[in-house]
Amino acid sequence: MATNQKLQKSALSPRQSTTGLNVWGGSIMEDYLVELRGKSGIAVYNEMRKGNPIAGGFIRAIEMAFRSVTWLDIPYEMDEEGMERAAFLTSVRKDMKDPWAVIMANATTVLPFGHAPFEMTFKHRNGKKGKQPSEFDDGKIGLENLDLIPQDTIERWETELNSPEIIAITQKPPPSYTEIRIPIEKVINFRLRTEKDNPEGESIFRQAYRPWYFMNNLEAIEGISLERTGAGIPLIVLPKGATTIKDKGALSDEQAAIDIVKQVRVDEQGGIVLFFGWEFRLARPEGRVDPDLFDLAIKRHRSNMLISVLAAFLEFGTARVGSFALAQQSRSFFEVALEGYVSIIEETFNKKFIPLLFELNGIVDGKYPKLTHTTVGDPELEALAKYIKTLTETGYLKPDPVLRDYLRDVARLPKGASVSERQELANKDEEPNPEMTDQNGNGQFPVDSDGSENGRRELRRMARAMADDEGDK
């Protein structure tokens, strides 16, 4: 008995270990490469995404995929209260200064940098007057905006004394470069990885850095080699009696000849002025490097870059290798990765922002709606049709509005209806629907205590409004 009590006391004791995050002076020191730590690492990843066609194209493709995702607010329970809260969350997202699509585009910076911190700014929804205008005048607390804290402006991460716990972000942005302290309670930070609770996460290009480094240098060497072996190496033969650097220094003939050969370029402005007796020519090296060797090495590193980000299928068709089936399988891996990236945004939003929003509005029962998204990528419609047909024929699946909207979404079919059609549908909704009644003929939606159907009609109105929105792009 005493042993059990001791074991229970030990098991229920507070956490004694720490994350072990290596943070020193506000800088995260986790990466073993010095050039990939802090601001120097941000600069490297920024160069990769902006200066490399593979990395830049990959990020652009994911950004477009993020923009095509439809976001929906799902009620905690399908009752009137749940629908009202979901509708409120939708209104909050639509009442921000920046459109939701812009915020999601900024959130994709989590991929190259590993983290994307946003500052949450709230407001009172008191109409369109004042410094924080709103489309609503219900007095509730909404969201003014989610503003990205640019990764290259973060000066340091403030921590508790002798603890790796982050308590604030210190920003030092241009043009004033004055320090701004942002408490971590005002920040929602999207991260690719949470190992050691590292606020900087890990860049998607971390494993691609080595092949990118070699490929970058090989391309520079290739350009120099082709210029020198193709046009030739500039050569100047000085006449007898020419002055040397040892005699005249910077004013010597030797130094002038060195300056000339360094600046010679074969282009439309090329030209040389020589003194009497000087001889200029373009010498060709006896052993020329095969340009295909550079090409093979560059292609190998390019393939390694694509493999590191699960986008090897982008290479199929350019190197004359790879079957259609292999391309389809590789694309599936890429779409699974895309789904994971979108889920990171969704889970972080649901865990950090939504509870805070409802607590600020005095709702603390934990029955909060959830932000969710449609499937990323394009499934095989033929296979999907056969699968749904099999399930419906065996009775495991019945058609419903949710399934209908999903199929319209994945097939890119037109959505919505005209104004007149919606009005006609709204009029039909006012009539009793036998499918929405139980065995006793009572409606399944909640009604008011006086027996009227105002509650039911209001619930249907909210459902139609949410359906008309068709989510956010």
PDB file of all heavy atoms in Angstrom, residues 275-311:
ATOM      1  N   PHE A 275      50.044  49.446 -75.966  1.00  0.00           N
ATOM      2  CA  PHE A 275      51.216  50.270 -76.269  1.00  0.00           C
ATOM      3  C   PHE A 275      52.046  49.600 -77.363  1.00  0.00           C
ATOM      4  O   PHE A 275      51.886  48.402 -77.650  1.00  0.00           O
ATOM      5  CB  PHE A 275      52.053  50.482 -75.009  1.00  0.00           C
ATOM      6  CG  PHE A 275      51.333  51.229 -73.924  1.00  0.00           C
ATOM      7  CD1 PHE A 275      50.804  50.555 -72.839  1.00  0.00           C
ATOM      8  CD2 PHE A 275      51.183  52.605 -73.997  1.00  0.00           C
ATOM      9  CE1 PHE A 275      50.149  51.239 -71.849  1.00  0.00           C
ATOM     10  CE2 PHE A 275      50.527  53.286 -73.000  1.00  0.00           C
ATOM     11  CZ  PHE A 275      49.994  52.611 -71.922  1.00  0.00           C
ATOM     12  N   PHE A 276      52.915  50.373 -77.962  1.00  0.00           N
ATOM     13  CA  PHE A 276      53.769  49.844 -79.025  1.00  0.00           C
ATOM     14  C   PHE A 276      54.628  48.718 -78.479  1.00  0.00           C
ATOM     15  O   PHE A 276      55.261  48.842 -77.428  1.00  0.00           O
ATOM     16  CB  PHE A 276      54.660  50.961 -79.608  1.00  0.00           C
ATOM     17  CG  PHE A 276      55.593  50.478 -80.670  1.00  0.00           C
ATOM     18  CD1 PHE A 276      55.149  50.230 -81.972  1.00  0.00           C
ATOM     19  CD2 PHE A 276      56.931  50.240 -80.374  1.00  0.00           C
ATOM     20  CE1 PHE A 276      56.008  49.762 -82.950  1.00  0.00           C
ATOM     21  CE2 PHE A 276      57.802  49.766 -81.348  1.00  0.00           C
ATOM     22  CZ  PHE A 276      57.332  49.528 -82.638  1.00  0.00           C
ATOM     23  N   GLY A 277      54.640  47.610 -79.206  1.00  0.00           N
ATOM     24  CA  GLY A 277      55.452  46.467 -78.821  1.00  0.00           C
ATOM     25  C   GLY A 277      54.727  45.451 -77.958  1.00  0.00           C
ATOM     26  O   GLY A 277      55.231  44.341 -77.738  1.00  0.00           O
ATOM     27  N   TRP A 278      53.552  45.819 -77.461  1.00  0.00           N
ATOM     28  CA  TRP A 278      52.777  44.875 -76.652  1.00  0.00           C
ATOM     29  C   TRP A 278      52.058  43.895 -77.583  1.00  0.00           C
ATOM     30  O   TRP A 278      51.605  44.266 -78.676  1.00  0.00           O
ATOM     31  CB  TRP A 278      51.737  45.600 -75.796  1.00  0.00           C
ATOM     32  CG  TRP A 278      52.343  46.395 -74.658  1.00  0.00           C
ATOM     33  CD1 TRP A 278      53.522  47.079 -74.670  1.00  0.00           C
ATOM     34  CD2 TRP A 278      51.764  46.589 -73.378  1.00  0.00           C
ATOM     35  NE1 TRP A 278      53.745  47.703 -73.482  1.00  0.00           N
ATOM     36  CE2 TRP A 278      52.655  47.418 -72.645  1.00  0.00           C
ATOM     37  CE3 TRP A 278      50.621  46.166 -72.764  1.00  0.00           C
ATOM     38  CZ2 TRP A 278      52.421  47.819 -71.344  1.00  0.00           C
ATOM     39  CZ3 TRP A 278      50.376  46.572 -71.459  1.00  0.00           C
ATOM     40  CH2 TRP A 278      51.264  47.376 -70.759  1.00  0.00           C
ATOM     41  N   GLU A 279      51.913  42.677 -77.117  1.00  0.00           N
ATOM     42  CA  GLU A 279      51.241  41.638 -77.910  1.00  0.00           C
ATOM     43  C   GLU A 279      50.100  41.040 -77.083  1.00  0.00           C
ATOM     44  O   GLU A 279      50.309  40.639 -75.941  1.00  0.00           O
ATOM     45  CB  GLU A 279      52.231  40.545 -78.321  1.00  0.00           C
ATOM     46  CG  GLU A 279      51.602  39.434 -79.164  1.00  0.00           C
ATOM     47  CD  GLU A 279      52.583  38.320 -79.466  1.00  0.00           C
ATOM     48  OE1 GLU A 279      53.791  38.503 -79.204  1.00  0.00           O
ATOM     49  OE2 GLU A 279      52.140  37.261 -79.942  1.00  0.00           O
ATOM     50  N   PHE A 280      48.912  41.007 -77.678  1.00  0.00           N
ATOM     51  CA  PHE A 280      47.732  40.445 -76.981  1.00  0.00           C
ATOM     52  C   PHE A 280      47.146  39.302 -77.811  1.00  0.00           C
ATOM     53  O   PHE A 280      47.016  39.410 -79.033  1.00  0.00           O
ATOM     54  CB  PHE A 280      46.649  41.515 -76.775  1.00  0.00           C
ATOM     55  CG  PHE A 280      45.369  40.969 -76.196  1.00  0.00           C
ATOM     56  CD1 PHE A 280      45.230  40.778 -74.829  1.00  0.00           C
ATOM     57  CD2 PHE A 280      44.306  40.615 -77.038  1.00  0.00           C
ATOM     58  CE1 PHE A 280      44.060  40.263 -74.309  1.00  0.00           C
ATOM     59  CE2 PHE A 280      43.134  40.094 -76.506  1.00  0.00           C
ATOM     60  CZ  PHE A 280      43.013  39.917 -75.143  1.00  0.00           C
ATOM     61  N   ARG A 281      46.773  38.253 -77.131  1.00  0.00           N
ATOM     62  CA  ARG A 281      46.078  37.143 -77.794  1.00  0.00           C
ATOM     63  C   ARG A 281      45.280  36.351 -76.773  1.00  0.00           C
ATOM     64  O   ARG A 281      45.494  36.498 -75.565  1.00  0.00           O
ATOM     65  CB  ARG A 281      47.064  36.241 -78.520  1.00  0.00           C
ATOM     66  CG  ARG A 281      48.056  35.515 -77.632  1.00  0.00           C
ATOM     67  CD  ARG A 281      48.895  34.533 -78.460  1.00  0.00           C
ATOM     68  NE  ARG A 281      49.834  33.806 -77.636  1.00  0.00           N
ATOM     69  CZ  ARG A 281      51.085  34.179 -77.419  1.00  0.00           C
ATOM     70  NH1 ARG A 281      51.543  35.317 -77.978  1.00  0.00           N
ATOM     71  NH2 ARG A 281      51.892  33.457 -76.653  1.00  0.00           N
ATOM     72  N   LEU A 282      44.356  35.543 -77.277  1.00  0.00           N
ATOM     73  CA  LEU A 282      43.557  34.650 -76.425  1.00  0.00           C
ATOM     74  C   LEU A 282      44.112  33.239 -76.546  1.00  0.00           C
ATOM     75  O   LEU A 282      44.058  32.612 -77.616  1.00  0.00           O
ATOM     76  CB  LEU A 282      42.080  34.666 -76.849  1.00  0.00           C
ATOM     77  CG  LEU A 282      41.339  35.984 -76.611  1.00  0.00           C
ATOM     78  CD1 LEU A 282      39.937  35.926 -77.203  1.00  0.00           C
ATOM     79  CD2 LEU A 282      41.253  36.276 -75.114  1.00  0.00           C
ATOM     80  N   ALA A 283      44.660  32.761 -75.456  1.00  0.00           N
ATOM     81  CA  ALA A 283      45.257  31.424 -75.446  1.00  0.00           C
ATOM     82  C   ALA A 283      44.211  30.393 -75.054  1.00  0.00           C
ATOM     83  O   ALA A 283      43.336  30.655 -74.211  1.00  0.00           O
ATOM     84  CB  ALA A 283      46.431  31.390 -74.471  1.00  0.00           C
ATOM     85  N   ARG A 284      44.289  29.263 -75.687  1.00  0.00           N
ATOM     86  CA  ARG A 284      43.369  28.162 -75.366  1.00  0.00           C
ATOM     87  C   ARG A 284      44.120  27.064 -74.633  1.00  0.00           C
ATOM     88  O   ARG A 284      45.206  26.655 -75.055  1.00  0.00           O
ATOM     89  CB  ARG A 284      42.723  27.602 -76.628  1.00  0.00           C
ATOM     90  CG  ARG A 284      41.808  28.581 -77.323  1.00  0.00           C
ATOM     91  CD  ARG A 284      41.166  27.955 -78.550  1.00  0.00           C
ATOM     92  NE  ARG A 284      40.233  28.871 -79.184  1.00  0.00           N
ATOM     93  CZ  ARG A 284      38.967  28.993 -78.851  1.00  0.00           C
ATOM     94  NH1 ARG A 284      38.475  28.249 -77.875  1.00  0.00           N
ATOM     95  NH2 ARG A 284      38.181  29.848 -79.486  1.00  0.00           N
ATOM     96  N   PRO A 285      43.528  26.565 -73.522  1.00  0.00           N
ATOM     97  CA  PRO A 285      44.208  25.493 -72.781  1.00  0.00           C
ATOM     98  C   PRO A 285      44.259  24.223 -73.606  1.00  0.00           C
ATOM     99  O   PRO A 285      43.358  23.921 -74.397  1.00  0.00           O
ATOM    100  CB  PRO A 285      43.333  25.322 -71.533  1.00  0.00           C
ATOM    101  CG  PRO A 285      41.995  25.847 -71.929  1.00  0.00           C
ATOM    102  CD  PRO A 285      42.253  26.942 -72.913  1.00  0.00           C
ATOM    103  N   GLU A 286      45.328  23.482 -73.416  1.00  0.00           N
ATOM    104  CA  GLU A 286      45.497  22.240 -74.191  1.00  0.00           C
ATOM    105  C   GLU A 286      44.471  21.185 -73.780  1.00  0.00           C
ATOM    106  O   GLU A 286      43.890  20.521 -74.630  1.00  0.00           O
ATOM    107  CB  GLU A 286      46.919  21.715 -74.001  1.00  0.00           C
ATOM    108  CG  GLU A 286      47.983  22.654 -74.562  1.00  0.00           C
ATOM    109  CD  GLU A 286      49.379  22.092 -74.381  1.00  0.00           C
ATOM    110  OE1 GLU A 286      49.485  20.978 -73.812  1.00  0.00           O
ATOM    111  OE2 GLU A 286      50.346  22.757 -74.794  1.00  0.00           O
ATOM    112  N   GLY A 287      44.271  21.006 -72.488  1.00  0.00           N
ATOM    113  CA  GLY A 287      43.293  20.020 -72.019  1.00  0.00           C
ATOM    114  C   GLY A 287      41.987  20.693 -71.621  1.00  0.00           C
ATOM    115  O   GLY A 287      41.935  21.415 -70.636  1.00  0.00           O
ATOM    116  N   ARG A 288      40.930  20.496 -72.403  1.00  0.00           N
ATOM    117  CA  ARG A 288      39.645  21.136 -72.146  1.00  0.00           C
ATOM    118  C   ARG A 288      38.763  20.229 -71.313  1.00  0.00           C
ATOM    119  O   ARG A 288      38.711  19.014 -71.509  1.00  0.00           O
ATOM    120  CB  ARG A 288      38.950  21.486 -73.456  1.00  0.00           C
ATOM    121  CG  ARG A 288      39.737  22.437 -74.330  1.00  0.00           C
ATOM    122  CD  ARG A 288      38.988  22.801 -75.579  1.00  0.00           C
ATOM    123  NE  ARG A 288      37.762  23.506 -75.265  1.00  0.00           N
ATOM    124  CZ  ARG A 288      36.877  23.871 -76.189  1.00  0.00           C
ATOM    125  NH1 ARG A 288      37.066  23.563 -77.460  1.00  0.00           N
ATOM    126  NH2 ARG A 288      35.779  24.520 -75.836  1.00  0.00           N
ATOM    127  N   VAL A 289      38.043  20.818 -70.381  1.00  0.00           N
ATOM    128  CA  VAL A 289      37.133  20.064 -69.527  1.00  0.00           C
ATOM    129  C   VAL A 289      35.835  19.808 -70.277  1.00  0.00           C
ATOM    130  O   VAL A 289      35.274  20.725 -70.902  1.00  0.00           O
ATOM    131  CB  VAL A 289      36.846  20.835 -68.222  1.00  0.00           C
ATOM    132  CG1 VAL A 289      35.867  20.054 -67.345  1.00  0.00           C
ATOM    133  CG2 VAL A 289      38.136  21.096 -67.466  1.00  0.00           C
ATOM    134  N   ASP A 290      35.378  18.586 -70.234  1.00  0.00           N
ATOM    135  CA  ASP A 290      34.140  18.224 -70.912  1.00  0.00           C
ATOM    136  C   ASP A 290      32.955  18.891 -70.187  1.00  0.00           C
ATOM    137  O   ASP A 290      32.736  18.640 -68.996  1.00  0.00           O
ATOM    138  CB  ASP A 290      33.970  16.702 -70.917  1.00  0.00           C
ATOM    139  CG  ASP A 290      32.781  16.254 -71.763  1.00  0.00           C
ATOM    140  OD1 ASP A 290      32.072  17.132 -72.305  1.00  0.00           O
ATOM    141  OD2 ASP A 290      32.570  15.035 -71.872  1.00  0.00           O
ATOM    142  N   PRO A 291      32.164  19.750 -70.875  1.00  0.00           N
ATOM    143  CA  PRO A 291      31.021  20.396 -70.203  1.00  0.00           C
ATOM    144  C   PRO A 291      29.990  19.417 -69.673  1.00  0.00           C
ATOM    145  O   PRO A 291      29.249  19.736 -68.727  1.00  0.00           O
ATOM    146  CB  PRO A 291      30.417  21.275 -71.310  1.00  0.00           C
ATOM    147  CG  PRO A 291      31.520  21.470 -72.300  1.00  0.00           C
ATOM    148  CD  PRO A 291      32.324  20.210 -72.250  1.00  0.00           C
ATOM    149  N   ASP A 292      29.930  18.223 -70.250  1.00  0.00           N
ATOM    150  CA  ASP A 292      28.954  17.231 -69.778  1.00  0.00           C
ATOM    151  C   ASP A 292      29.248  16.781 -68.351  1.00  0.00           C
ATOM    152  O   ASP A 292      28.330  16.348 -67.633  1.00  0.00           O
ATOM    153  CB  ASP A 292      28.945  16.015 -70.705  1.00  0.00           C
ATOM    154  CG  ASP A 292      28.347  16.341 -72.070  1.00  0.00           C
ATOM    155  OD1 ASP A 292      27.605  17.334 -72.151  1.00  0.00           O
ATOM    156  OD2 ASP A 292      28.623  15.609 -73.034  1.00  0.00           O
ATOM    157  N   LEU A 293      30.513  16.867 -67.933  1.00  0.00           N
ATOM    158  CA  LEU A 293      30.841  16.479 -66.557  1.00  0.00           C
ATOM    159  C   LEU A 293      30.177  17.424 -65.564  1.00  0.00           C
ATOM    160  O   LEU A 293      29.658  16.999 -64.524  1.00  0.00           O
ATOM    161  CB  LEU A 293      32.361  16.483 -66.367  1.00  0.00           C
ATOM    162  CG  LEU A 293      33.149  15.448 -67.186  1.00  0.00           C
ATOM    163  CD1 LEU A 293      34.640  15.597 -66.923  1.00  0.00           C
ATOM    164  CD2 LEU A 293      32.690  14.030 -66.843  1.00  0.00           C
ATOM    165  N   PHE A 294      30.195  18.715 -65.875  1.00  0.00           N
ATOM    166  CA  PHE A 294      29.501  19.674 -65.019  1.00  0.00           C
ATOM    167  C   PHE A 294      28.006  19.388 -65.013  1.00  0.00           C
ATOM    168  O   PHE A 294      27.350  19.437 -63.974  1.00  0.00           O
ATOM    169  CB  PHE A 294      29.747  21.104 -65.517  1.00  0.00           C
ATOM    170  CG  PHE A 294      31.127  21.621 -65.245  1.00  0.00           C
ATOM    171  CD1 PHE A 294      32.046  21.745 -66.268  1.00  0.00           C
ATOM    172  CD2 PHE A 294      31.505  21.996 -63.962  1.00  0.00           C
ATOM    173  CE1 PHE A 294      33.316  22.229 -66.018  1.00  0.00           C
ATOM    174  CE2 PHE A 294      32.768  22.487 -63.706  1.00  0.00           C
ATOM    175  CZ  PHE A 294      33.683  22.597 -64.745  1.00  0.00           C
ATOM    176  N   ASP A 295      27.468  19.108 -66.183  1.00  0.00           N
ATOM    177  CA  ASP A 295      26.033  18.880 -66.300  1.00  0.00           C
ATOM    178  C   ASP A 295      25.601  17.672 -65.476  1.00  0.00           C
ATOM    179  O   ASP A 295      24.572  17.713 -64.783  1.00  0.00           O
ATOM    180  CB  ASP A 295      25.669  18.690 -67.773  1.00  0.00           C
ATOM    181  CG  ASP A 295      24.170  18.762 -68.008  1.00  0.00           C
ATOM    182  OD1 ASP A 295      23.551  19.713 -67.504  1.00  0.00           O
ATOM    183  OD2 ASP A 295      23.628  17.859 -68.676  1.00  0.00           O
ATOM    184  N   LEU A 296      26.378  16.600 -65.531  1.00  0.00           N
ATOM    185  CA  LEU A 296      26.038  15.395 -64.764  1.00  0.00           C
ATOM    186  C   LEU A 296      26.079  15.666 -63.261  1.00  0.00           C
ATOM    187  O   LEU A 296      25.192  15.229 -62.511  1.00  0.00           O
ATOM    188  CB  LEU A 296      27.001  14.268 -65.118  1.00  0.00           C
ATOM    189  CG  LEU A 296      26.843  13.640 -66.511  1.00  0.00           C
ATOM    190  CD1 LEU A 296      27.971  12.657 -66.784  1.00  0.00           C
ATOM    191  CD2 LEU A 296      25.497  12.939 -66.625  1.00  0.00           C
ATOM    192  N   ALA A 297      27.098  16.385 -62.813  1.00  0.00           N
ATOM    193  CA  ALA A 297      27.217  16.678 -61.381  1.00  0.00           C
ATOM    194  C   ALA A 297      26.084  17.590 -60.917  1.00  0.00           C
ATOM    195  O   ALA A 297      25.492  17.377 -59.851  1.00  0.00           O
ATOM    196  CB  ALA A 297      28.571  17.316 -61.090  1.00  0.00           C
ATOM    197  N   ILE A 298      25.759  18.596 -61.725  1.00  0.00           N
ATOM    198  CA  ILE A 298      24.683  19.522 -61.363  1.00  0.00           C
ATOM    199  C   ILE A 298      23.349  18.794 -61.312  1.00  0.00           C
ATOM    200  O   ILE A 298      22.531  19.014 -60.406  1.00  0.00           O
ATOM    201  CB  ILE A 298      24.647  20.701 -62.352  1.00  0.00           C
ATOM    202  CG1 ILE A 298      25.884  21.583 -62.141  1.00  0.00           C
ATOM    203  CG2 ILE A 298      23.376  21.523 -62.170  1.00  0.00           C
ATOM    204  CD1 ILE A 298      26.042  22.661 -63.195  1.00  0.00           C
ATOM    205  N   LYS A 299      23.095  17.903 -62.278  1.00  0.00           N
ATOM    206  CA  LYS A 299      21.839  17.147 -62.286  1.00  0.00           C
ATOM    207  C   LYS A 299      21.730  16.233 -61.067  1.00  0.00           C
ATOM    208  O   LYS A 299      20.646  16.045 -60.522  1.00  0.00           O
ATOM    209  CB  LYS A 299      21.739  16.328 -63.569  1.00  0.00           C
ATOM    210  CG  LYS A 299      21.392  17.149 -64.791  1.00  0.00           C
ATOM    211  CD  LYS A 299      21.255  16.279 -66.023  1.00  0.00           C
ATOM    212  CE  LYS A 299      20.845  17.120 -67.243  1.00  0.00           C
ATOM    213  NZ  LYS A 299      20.742  16.281 -68.460  1.00  0.00           N
ATOM    214  N   ARG A 300      22.846  15.659 -60.636  1.00  0.00           N
ATOM    215  CA  ARG A 300      22.814  14.788 -59.449  1.00  0.00           C
ATOM    216  C   ARG A 300      22.423  15.575 -58.207  1.00  0.00           C
ATOM    217  O   ARG A 300      21.571  15.137 -57.423  1.00  0.00           O
ATOM    218  CB  ARG A 300      24.181  14.133 -59.253  1.00  0.00           C
ATOM    219  CG  ARG A 300      24.200  13.155 -58.082  1.00  0.00           C
ATOM    220  CD  ARG A 300      25.520  12.456 -57.930  1.00  0.00           C
ATOM    221  NE  ARG A 300      26.543  13.327 -57.370  1.00  0.00           N
ATOM    222  CZ  ARG A 300      27.586  13.770 -58.042  1.00  0.00           C
ATOM    223  NH1 ARG A 300      27.751  13.467 -59.321  1.00  0.00           N
ATOM    224  NH2 ARG A 300      28.494  14.535 -57.455  1.00  0.00           N
ATOM    225  N   HIS A 301      23.017  16.743 -58.038  1.00  0.00           N
ATOM    226  CA  HIS A 301      22.673  17.558 -56.870  1.00  0.00           C
ATOM    227  C   HIS A 301      21.248  18.101 -56.980  1.00  0.00           C
ATOM    228  O   HIS A 301      20.560  18.247 -55.961  1.00  0.00           O
ATOM    229  CB  HIS A 301      23.683  18.699 -56.735  1.00  0.00           C
ATOM    230  CG  HIS A 301      25.065  18.250 -56.390  1.00  0.00           C
ATOM    231  ND1 HIS A 301      25.349  17.517 -55.257  1.00  0.00           N
ATOM    232  CD2 HIS A 301      26.257  18.410 -57.039  1.00  0.00           C
ATOM    233  CE1 HIS A 301      26.651  17.256 -55.207  1.00  0.00           C
ATOM    234  NE2 HIS A 301      27.211  17.781 -56.270  1.00  0.00           N
ATOM    235  N   ARG A 302      20.816  18.390 -58.200  1.00  0.00           N
ATOM    236  CA  ARG A 302      19.430  18.852 -58.372  1.00  0.00           C
ATOM    237  C   ARG A 302      18.453  17.745 -57.980  1.00  0.00           C
ATOM    238  O   ARG A 302      17.435  18.007 -57.318  1.00  0.00           O
ATOM    239  CB  ARG A 302      19.194  19.276 -59.822  1.00  0.00           C
ATOM    240  CG  ARG A 302      17.793  19.799 -60.083  1.00  0.00           C
ATOM    241  CD  ARG A 302      17.618  20.157 -61.545  1.00  0.00           C
ATOM    242  NE  ARG A 302      17.722  18.981 -62.399  1.00  0.00           N
ATOM    243  CZ  ARG A 302      17.758  19.016 -63.730  1.00  0.00           C
ATOM    244  NH1 ARG A 302      17.731  20.184 -64.346  1.00  0.00           N
ATOM    245  NH2 ARG A 302      17.840  17.899 -64.429  1.00  0.00           N
ATOM    246  N   SER A 303      18.752  16.521 -58.362  1.00  0.00           N
ATOM    247  CA  SER A 303      17.886  15.390 -57.987  1.00  0.00           C
ATOM    248  C   SER A 303      17.846  15.210 -56.480  1.00  0.00           C
ATOM    249  O   SER A 303      16.785  14.941 -55.902  1.00  0.00           O
ATOM    250  CB  SER A 303      18.377  14.109 -58.655  1.00  0.00           C
ATOM    251  OG  SER A 303      18.313  14.202 -60.056  1.00  0.00           O
ATOM    252  N   ASN A 304      18.983  15.379 -55.829  1.00  0.00           N
ATOM    253  CA  ASN A 304      19.015  15.252 -54.372  1.00  0.00           C
ATOM    254  C   ASN A 304      18.181  16.343 -53.700  1.00  0.00           C
ATOM    255  O   ASN A 304      17.533  16.098 -52.682  1.00  0.00           O
ATOM    256  CB  ASN A 304      20.457  15.312 -53.873  1.00  0.00           C
ATOM    257  CG  ASN A 304      21.253  14.066 -54.230  1.00  0.00           C
ATOM    258  OD1 ASN A 304      20.672  13.006 -54.486  1.00  0.00           O
ATOM    259  ND2 ASN A 304      22.570  14.177 -54.265  1.00  0.00           N
ATOM    260  N   MET A 305      18.196  17.548 -54.271  1.00  0.00           N
ATOM    261  CA  MET A 305      17.365  18.614 -53.727  1.00  0.00           C
ATOM    262  C   MET A 305      15.881  18.253 -53.825  1.00  0.00           C
ATOM    263  O   MET A 305      15.123  18.419 -52.872  1.00  0.00           O
ATOM    264  CB  MET A 305      17.617  19.925 -54.475  1.00  0.00           C
ATOM    265  CG  MET A 305      18.874  20.656 -54.073  1.00  0.00           C
ATOM    266  SD  MET A 305      18.956  22.304 -54.822  1.00  0.00           S
ATOM    267  CE  MET A 305      17.563  23.099 -54.018  1.00  0.00           C
ATOM    268  N   LEU A 306      15.468  17.745 -54.977  1.00  0.00           N
ATOM    269  CA  LEU A 306      14.062  17.391 -55.167  1.00  0.00           C
ATOM    270  C   LEU A 306      13.660  16.232 -54.271  1.00  0.00           C
ATOM    271  O   LEU A 306      12.547  16.197 -53.740  1.00  0.00           O
ATOM    272  CB  LEU A 306      13.813  17.044 -56.636  1.00  0.00           C
ATOM    273  CG  LEU A 306      13.910  18.214 -57.615  1.00  0.00           C
ATOM    274  CD1 LEU A 306      13.843  17.727 -59.050  1.00  0.00           C
ATOM    275  CD2 LEU A 306      12.803  19.221 -57.361  1.00  0.00           C
ATOM    276  N   ILE A 307      14.554  15.269 -54.101  1.00  0.00           N
ATOM    277  CA  ILE A 307      14.247  14.133 -53.230  1.00  0.00           C
ATOM    278  C   ILE A 307      14.067  14.594 -51.787  1.00  0.00           C
ATOM    279  O   ILE A 307      13.185  14.111 -51.062  1.00  0.00           O
ATOM    280  CB  ILE A 307      15.371  13.074 -53.324  1.00  0.00           C
ATOM    281  CG1 ILE A 307      15.334  12.394 -54.695  1.00  0.00           C
ATOM    282  CG2 ILE A 307      15.223  12.024 -52.216  1.00  0.00           C
ATOM    283  CD1 ILE A 307      16.513  11.475 -54.946  1.00  0.00           C
ATOM    284  N   SER A 308      14.872  15.568 -51.353  1.00  0.00           N
ATOM    285  CA  SER A 308      14.804  16.019 -49.958  1.00  0.00           C
ATOM    286  C   SER A 308      13.484  16.687 -49.630  1.00  0.00           C
ATOM    287  O   SER A 308      13.082  16.729 -48.464  1.00  0.00           O
ATOM    288  CB  SER A 308      15.958  16.988 -49.670  1.00  0.00           C
ATOM    289  OG  SER A 308      15.767  18.219 -50.343  1.00  0.00           O
ATOM    290  N   VAL A 309      12.781  17.212 -50.634  1.00  0.00           N
ATOM    291  CA  VAL A 309      11.493  17.862 -50.398  1.00  0.00           C
ATOM    292  C   VAL A 309      10.336  17.036 -50.952  1.00  0.00           C
ATOM    293  O   VAL A 309       9.223  17.539 -51.133  1.00  0.00           O
ATOM    294  CB  VAL A 309      11.468  19.289 -50.994  1.00  0.00           C
ATOM    295  CG1 VAL A 309      12.445  20.179 -50.267  1.00  0.00           C
ATOM    296  CG2 VAL A 309      11.762  19.269 -52.486  1.00  0.00           C
ATOM    297  N   LEU A 310      10.610  15.754 -51.272  1.00  0.00           N
ATOM    298  CA  LEU A 310       9.589  14.821 -51.769  1.00  0.00           C
ATOM    299  C   LEU A 310       8.935  15.316 -53.056  1.00  0.00           C
ATOM    300  O   LEU A 310       7.737  15.146 -53.266  1.00  0.00           O
ATOM    301  CB  LEU A 310       8.501  14.583 -50.706  1.00  0.00           C
ATOM    302  CG  LEU A 310       8.963  13.974 -49.382  1.00  0.00           C
ATOM    303  CD1 LEU A 310       7.793  13.838 -48.422  1.00  0.00           C
ATOM    304  CD2 LEU A 310       9.634  12.636 -49.611  1.00  0.00           C
ATOM    305  N   ALA A 311       9.733  15.941 -53.907  1.00  0.00           N
ATOM    306  CA  ALA A 311       9.204  16.465 -55.172  1.00  0.00           C
ATOM    307  C   ALA A 311       9.993  15.918 -56.351  1.00  0.00           C
ATOM    308  O   ALA A 311      10.180  16.603 -57.362  1.00  0.00           O
ATOM    309  CB  ALA A 311       9.240  17.987 -55.169  1.00  0.00           C
TER     310      ALA A 311
END
